[in-house]
Amino acid sequence: MEKFIVHGGKTLSGSVNISGSKNASLPILAATLLTREQCVIRRVPDVSDTNYMLQILQNLGAEVERASGNVVIRCEKLRGHEAPYDLVRKMRASVCVMGPLLARHNRADVSLPGGCVIGDRPIDLHLRGLQGLGAEARVEGGNVHLEARYGLSGSEIDMSGKHGATVLGTDNVMMAAVLAKGTTVITGAACEPEVVDLANFLNAMGAKIRGAGTPRIEIEGVAELGGVEHTVIPDRIEAGTFLVAGAIAAKDRITVNRVDPEHLSVVTDVLRRCGCPIEANGSSLTVGRAAKPVGANITTEPYPGFPTDMQAQMCSLFATTPGTSVVRDTIFPQRFMHAAEMKRMGADIEVTDGTAVIHGVERLSAAPVMASDLRASAALVLSALAAKGSTEISRVYHIDRGYEHIDEKLIGLGAEIERLPA
Ligand code: EPU
């Protein structure tokens, strides 16, 4: 296990390059199970979650090569249709092999991912969707067994749940439906850019998907799919995290390169309302600290609303923004593990029923803190950047799950961070 020591108070300047999207890469890697031909996927971030997905694919019989962000996968001969607990428990997104395995083998045996620190995270909507395509689902011994004895058939599937659409659920049904007989219509589909990237990948393989990025997706089943080369979209959450780093600690401005500003418009709108100067120039965004910072009230929502994956980072910004800010997470109301740790650094933050009320203090101060999940860890690093003293953040394996070399990228901007054995 490793820890970070963040020496606070250094200002940031210069530019940073954003990696390919973790959350787009994971289902795209799983989708390679749909063809016997070779797929080349570029800009796959080197983070533990993509490693876990590749381990699951290799365990199923995939041949994998990985170098400099490029992953070459051939799922010519698969050994089986099982994703065991040992591998699945490491990452919830493993469930997105269910759809492609069902499509390829008419069977999938996948261990249930279990709880997670950010909330309950059920998969009822995934199962409802796959059952709608003709699969039978049975949960036994902690595993979900799916079988489509007579193959999958297109149908009308409603994917909306009480917290809105499900991203990986939409992905799973889309990946199963591409090889189903007939036409599938998904209503209440997730509209996230990562769903669109998966649909583009599948269409390049020969699938017939229309409407991805809207709540209604139409999929005409095809008999088979072929190999493809694809470049993953930029990681909008990593980009948003660096924008907040600039809003907290830029000397003048920092530039965040290789982003899609459209995917980030809700985040940049909020930062602008908080007084931060932000400019877009092609695929770059520049950001600086607000001359007169003001807080905001934000509520997380499915895309194009404010992303839950940026909620913790905003809490870090608001911790030292004068006045009161309110952050409500409607998607994962329990996702506030960062709040208790930030309090140890002097933040004035109270969480009740999925809502954090934050009264900005002048400055945070260093304390030993513990990372609990991916975005909470990012929030602690951001909080530590401008804090007084040296903050020790333990369990940084959480941050390595989804941020490629975050310490080195911040050091490149002028931060002082050490990565040490714990
Ligand atoms: N939900 C259900 N039933 C289901 C599935 C989801 O009730 O069968 C609920 C969830 O409990 C939640 C809401 O629906 O309240 C939305 O969850 P969703 O299914 O969209 O989450 P996900 O697809 O499992 C992806 C991202 C998460 C991100 C969420 C929401 C990946 C690999 N993960 O998860 O990313 O928070 O969408 O945008 O794409 C992260 O990167 O830190 C992360 C957690």
Side-chain angles (χ1 to χ4, degrees):
M1 266 208 264
E2 290 177 321
K3 64 182 178 188
F4 281 168
I5 311 285
V6 182
H7 302 287
K10 302 280 178 287
T11 53
L12 306 182
S13 52
S15 62
V16 61
N17 291 336
I18 295 307
S19 302
S21 160
K22 163 186 84 85
N23 287 349
S25 298
L26 294 172
I28 286 175
L29 293 173
T32 61
L33 290 166
L34 290 163
T35 177
R36 290 170 191 279
E37 293 180 17
Q38 176 174 290
C39 296
V40 180
I41 307 159
R42 306 195 192 284
R43 301 205 69 216
V44 175
D46 181 10
V47 294
S48 345
D49 275 10
T50 56
N51 281 333
Y52 296 144
M53 182 55 82
L54 292 175
Q55 282 170 24
I56 289 175
L57 297 180
Q58 280 171 313
N59 190 62
L60 286 162
E63 286 169 37
V64 175
E65 276 175 49
R66 180 177 210 183
S68 303
N70 293 341
V71 177
V72 181
I73 307 184
R74 185 185 277 270
C75 297
E76 191 178 357
K77 293 186 202 102
L78 292 184
R79 266 198 291 275
H81 39 75
E82 280 169 45
Y85 186 58
D86 260 13
L87 294 172
V88 171
R89 72 185 167 83
K90 294 184 183 161
M91 180 182 66
R92 204 200 111 84
S94 323
V95 294
C96 65
V97 298
M98 286 192 308
L101 282 177
L102 251 184
R104 174 113 178 228
H105 284 307
N106 288 331
R107 271 193 76 170
D109 296 310
V110 177
S111 192
L112 283 170
C116 153
V117 72
I118 70 173
D120 183 18
R121 309 196 75 182
I123 60 160
D124 55 313
L125 299 171
H126 299 236
L127 298 184
R128 189 174 84 192
L130 297 172
Q131 283 167 322
L133 295 176
E136 281 171 35
R138 181 168 54 85
V139 175
E140 210 175 86
N143 301 310
V144 51
H145 304 281
L146 288 152
E147 188 170 5
R149 225 170 292 169
Y150 310 106
L152 295 172
S153 313
S155 153
E156 185 150 340
I157 313 273
D158 174 24
M159 289 302 289
S160 43
K162 63 175 189 282
H163 295 285
T166 157
V167 176
L168 291 176
T170 302
D171 291 344
N172 249 330
V173 173
M174 204 159 67
M175 290 188 280
V178 285
L179 292 178
K181 280 184 229 101
T183 302
T184 299
V185 176
I186 307 178
T187 55
C191 302
E192 270 67 5
E194 294 77 17
V195 175
V196 178
D197 203 27
L198 173 65
N200 289 339
F201 178 78
L202 294 167
N203 281 340
M205 291 171 97
K208 292 189 174 163
I209 303 173
R210 279 192 306 270
T214 77
R216 188 177 194 279
I217 303 180
E218 240 182 82
I219 304 151
E220 209 183 303
V222 298
E224 61 177 15
L225 297 174
V228 66
E229 288 199 25
H230 180 82
T231 302
V232 172
I233 56 169
D235 195 310
R236 64 193 166 103
I237 306 301
E238 187 200 13
T241 304
F242 277 94
L243 290 178
V244 175
I248 289 177
K251 186 172 183 197
D252 175 29
R253 301 272 198 279
I254 65 162
T255 304
V256 182
N257 293 323
R258 302 189 84 167
V259 303
D260 186 334
E262 209 184 304
H263 295 167
L264 282 153
S265 60
V266 68
V267 175
T268 46
D269 283 353
V270 170
L271 290 173
R272 279 196 188 100
R273 272 195 273 131
C274 295
C276 300
I278 295 197
E279 273 165 45
N281 184 1
S283 59
S284 298
L285 287 165
T286 58
V287 60
R289 271 190 282 177
K292 286 198 185 119
V294 281
N297 290 358
I298 54 175
T299 298
T300 66
E301 282 168 358
Y303 192 84
F306 196 90
T308 168
D309 292 344
M310 279 300 299
Q311 174 265 102
Q313 299 88 318
M314 291 307 290
C315 290
S316 297
L317 176 64
F318 294 149
T320 53
T321 300
T324 303
S325 300
V326 180
V327 177
R328 188 163 155 248
D329 199 329
T330 56
I331 298 175
F332 295 117
Q334 297 166 48
R335 193 181 203 178
F336 281 98
M337 299 293 282
H338 43 287
E341 299 301 303
M342 284 168 59
K343 274 191 192 181
R344 307 194 66 246
M345 300 176 72
D348 181 348
I349 169 166
E350 279 311 321
V351 182
T352 327
D353 296 336
T355 302
V357 177
I358 305 164
H359 301 290
V361 297
E362 203 176 315
R363 198 171 179 194
L364 298 178
S365 54
V369 288
M370 202 187 284
S372 57
D373 67 82
L374 175 58
R375 308 304 170 187
S377 333
L380 296 178
V381 172
L382 293 175
S383 298
L385 287 177
K388 185 168 182 293
S390 300
T391 302
E392 184 179 317
I393 306 172
S394 54
R395 302 196 176 179
V396 296
Y397 62 86
H398 285 292
I399 209 161
D400 293 333
R401 291 188 57 170
Y403 288 91
E404 192 172 52
H405 310 304
I406 192 170
D407 44 342
E408 284 171 30
K409 288 189 182 186
L410 283 166
I411 290 167
L413 290 169
E416 204 181 324
I417 303 180
E418 295 173 85
R419 182 188 281 263
L420 300 173

